[in-house]
Amino acid sequence: MEPSFLVLTDLSPRSQRAVYLTALLAAAANGQVILLHMENMPMLEPELGLVTIPEQYYRQERRDTLDALAALARHLPAPAIVESEAGNLHDVLGELIDRWQPKLLVMGLAAEHDMLDEMLMNQALPALRQTGLPLLLVPEETDVAQDPVLPLPRLVAVAADSEAFQLTDSSLAFRSVLESWSAQYSIVHIVTPQDPADGGISKAEAAVRQSGLMPAETKYTTYQIRSQPRSKGIVQAALDIQADMVVILARPRTLLTSIFNLGVSAEVVRISTVPVLLLPTTDRPKSAPE
């Protein structure tokens, strides 16, 4: 089965940027795009003071939305399938992930993260925790994918620390997608004032190599800067080396909380001007004592 890439869309400019970038990635991997649109349900509780949407209006709005999604799908550089669903996003995602077995979930974010972003993420994260599915977050102000003929990411910054990690099965499976980009890579390490002066970048390199994220023959550069906090350093490093995308290795403890509430990953997503790819990891088994 050809690889699938699942992207949330509400036909807003920010989600369309995410859709176009998803289509570029899918085309490079000879895959397809699944356009997921969550339908607005009509409000039928006038006695509670809610504004009632006439059923006729709702049906017409749904037809217009489906027509717009179909038109969008026809103009993408990869085959696309429209899935318009109603209900809870967590439940819908679980069903679609089972059905399509996507390599990646993609979501566009507002420049200033709004309540919709937070609601969607809070509903999506449980499904991601269960599947270990990689997540690509596309900021609204990014230049990537505003034009569907833009090239794929050419330089990818992989943010790593000295702590060993192990990729989930879904993250390992995503490596074939990374290879389809023919991108260059740079392992980025951030040193805080509290860190030791030497050895951090070497340990970060070793952790990435041992994880299997990149094939053994992959050529890469390294870049290290001193920054407090680390999140700001990661974003600055990506700017310094002119990276098109940032890869964050999401620890299990990170995925146990909402990405919008705390942690380095959350802050990188908030301030990055390029897409951020979260690759779930598991804790590397410790060697048994002799």
Side-chain angles (χ1 to χ4, degrees), residues 253-266:
R253 56 182 176 269
T254 303
L255 288 177
L256 292 177
T257 59
S258 168
I259 191 172
F260 284 91
N261 290 337
L262 53 102
V264 173
S265 300

Side-chain angles (χ1 to χ4, degrees), residues 259-276:
I259 191 172
F260 284 91
N261 290 337
L262 53 102
V264 173
S265 300
E267 188 60 22
V268 171
V269 169
R270 279 195 183 93
I271 62 179
S272 178
T273 58
V274 299
V276 177

Side-chain angles (χ1 to χ4, degrees), residues 43-52:
M43 296 181 183
L44 303 175
E45 303 291 342
E47 65 275 10
L48 298 180
L50 300 177
V51 177
T52 303

Side-chain angles (χ1 to χ4, degrees), residues 17-286:
R17 293 188 186 101
V19 167
Y20 281 123
L21 179 55
T22 305
L24 288 176
L25 303 182
N30 295 317
Q32 62 183 355
V33 179
I34 310 301
L35 298 171
L36 171 57
H37 177 266
M38 298 301 297
E39 298 178 10
N40 293 319
M41 296 300 293
M43 296 181 183
L44 303 175
E45 303 291 342
E47 65 275 10
L48 298 180
L50 300 177
V51 177
T52 303
I53 301 176
E55 183 67 23
Q56 182 179 0
Y57 173 84
Y58 173 71
R59 288 197 299 268
Q60 182 60 49
E61 182 185 43
R62 186 174 187 276
R63 284 195 294 268
D64 293 344
T65 299
L66 290 176
D67 288 344
L69 288 169
L72 176 62
R74 287 193 297 270
H75 290 88
L76 294 178
I81 296 171
V82 174
E83 293 277 9
S84 186
E85 302 286 347
N88 179 276
L89 176 61
H90 170 252
D91 296 335
V92 170
L93 272 180
E95 179 184 340
L96 292 183
I97 289 172
D98 287 342
R99 185 190 312 168
W100 294 107
Q101 298 294 306
K103 295 279 189 181
L104 179 69
L105 175 64
V106 186
M107 178 178 167
L109 297 177
E112 296 293 335
H113 295 161
D114 54 24
M115 291 183 63
L116 176 60
D117 286 344
E118 189 160 358
M119 180 191 72
L120 290 176
M121 285 302 304
N122 285 336
Q123 292 187 42
L125 276 175
L128 299 179
R129 294 179 198 134
Q130 294 164 15
T131 62
L133 194 66
L135 172 65
L136 179 62
L137 299 168
V138 183
E140 186 173 27
E141 68 271 21
T142 181
D143 290 334
V144 176
Q146 288 183 342
D147 184 341
V149 300
L150 285 176
L152 293 166
R154 291 157 292 189
L155 179 58
V156 178
V158 180
D161 55 28
S162 57
E163 185 178 347
F165 63 92
Q166 183 171 311
L167 296 172
T168 63
D169 291 342
S170 294
S171 292
L172 277 173
F174 191 73
R175 194 176 73 173
S176 62
V177 177
L178 295 176
E179 293 171 357
S180 72
W181 305 349
S182 300
Q184 296 180 334
Y185 292 85
S186 182
I187 297 175
V188 170
H189 181 256
I190 311 303
V191 182
T192 68
Q194 295 78 25
D195 292 337
D198 300 318
I201 187 64
S202 298
K203 292 180 179 179
E205 280 188 78
V208 173
R209 287 199 306 269
Q210 293 171 8
S211 72
L213 173 61
M214 299 183 295
E217 66 276 10
T218 300
K219 295 182 178 179
Y220 60 86
T221 60
T222 60
Y223 188 79
Q224 179 172 266
I225 62 173
R226 185 173 293 271
S227 172
Q228 181 69 33
R230 280 192 171 89
S231 54
K232 184 178 179 181
I234 292 171
V235 173
Q236 185 59 53
L239 290 172
D240 291 348
I241 65 176
Q242 299 184 340
D244 303 302
M245 184 177 291
V246 175
V247 173
I248 299 290
L249 303 164
R251 309 288 183 182
R253 56 182 176 269
T254 303
L255 288 177
L256 292 177
T257 59
S258 168
I259 191 172
F260 284 91
N261 290 337
L262 53 102
V264 173
S265 300
E267 188 60 22
V268 171
V269 169
R270 279 195 183 93
I271 62 179
S272 178
T273 58
V274 299
V276 177
L277 173 62
L278 294 176
L279 288 181
T281 69
T282 60
D283 291 324
R284 192 176 182 83
K286 296 181 179 180

